[in-house]
Amino acid sequence: MAKLLYSATMSLDGFITGPDGDMSWLTRHFGPDPTVDRLIGETGALLIGNRTFRGDDPHKGTSQEGEPFGGGWDGPQFVLTHHAPETAVPGITFVGDLDSGIAAAKAAAGEKEYVNVLGADVAKQCLAAGALDEILVCIVPVLLGDGVRLFDQPGGVDVPLERIELSRTPQATNLWLRVVR
């Protein structure tokens, strides 16, 4: 059964989007990354938050707009939302609750190693439910100052993590962690 992995690119000050969900800052940090390429090959399905699905796209205005990993990945996508659109979206399944979303995504992942979680809120829900297995953070050399944080837990929470892998490219330092249970 596939593991749940939250992956995100983050600024050094902890933001995965800029103010108002802006993702345009991210494009200048794209580049070859063997760790991300490996993740793409090992991902069987996506579990996406509604805000991420409906949000800004770093590939806006290009032929890669709306394509996971800029068109580098193709497969089943599950969007967690209480407000599914009335018109079907090709290749997207809308799910109304976390448990059914996780179950559907894991079943759809087949023999692949991961269901990739996209979106801070869904990742936080998966973590709180005890379902999140791993986290991959690609830390890029920029300070955004505001936006959506990788994890935001008012009052704090102590979640032990174990480093699995540390790698770097000219664009990012990748930190791959396992959630310790």
Side-chain angles (χ1 to χ4, degrees), residues 113-150:
E113 188 166 354
Y114 293 107
V115 169
N116 193 1
V117 176
L118 301 177
D121 188 58
V122 170
K124 185 169 110 174
Q125 290 178 55
C126 290
L127 185 64
L132 192 64
D133 298 299
E134 296 178 13
I135 302 167
L136 170 61
V137 184
C138 303
I139 305 164
V140 296
V142 66
L143 299 170
L144 294 177
D146 193 10
V148 174
R149 292 203 174 272
L150 179 72

Side-chain angles (χ1 to χ4, degrees), residues 37-181:
D37 293 343
R38 189 176 83 236
L39 168 64
I40 291 170
E42 295 174 347
T43 297
L46 302 179
L47 180 60
I48 309 166
N50 187 48
R51 184 170 55 182
T52 299
F53 175 73
R54 298 180 195 280
D56 195 16
D57 186 334
H59 298 286
K60 188 179 345 185
T62 73
S63 62
Q64 298 167 314
E65 184 173 356
E67 300 295 325
F69 294 98
W73 182 86
D74 184 45
Q77 301 176 53
F78 299 85
V79 175
L80 184 61
T81 182
H82 297 294
H83 306 287
E86 292 183 20
T87 307
V89 178
I92 306 292
T93 301
F94 294 92
V95 292
D97 67 273
L98 184 65
D99 290 339
S100 64
I102 290 171
K106 282 187 170 190
E111 298 298 314
K112 296 282 186 162
E113 188 166 354
Y114 293 107
V115 169
N116 193 1
V117 176
L118 301 177
D121 188 58
V122 170
K124 185 169 110 174
Q125 290 178 55
C126 290
L127 185 64
L132 192 64
D133 298 299
E134 296 178 13
I135 302 167
L136 170 61
V137 184
C138 303
I139 305 164
V140 296
V142 66
L143 299 170
L144 294 177
D146 193 10
V148 174
R149 292 203 174 272
L150 179 72
F151 279 104
D152 191 13
Q153 184 69 38
V157 63
D158 185 2
V159 178
L161 303 170
E162 174 187 5
R163 186 175 67 207
I164 298 172
E165 180 180 318
L166 179 64
S167 63
R168 65 183 176 91
T169 70
Q171 295 82 15
T173 299
N174 303 313
L175 184 57
W176 202 313
L177 305 152
R178 179 178 298 112
V179 177
V180 177
R181 292 188 174 85

Side-chain angles (χ1 to χ4, degrees), residues 16-32:
I16 61 172
T17 77
D20 300 318
D22 175 43
M23 295 294 291
S24 64
W25 66 274
L26 189 55
T27 57
R28 69 182 177 271
H29 301 285
F30 289 149

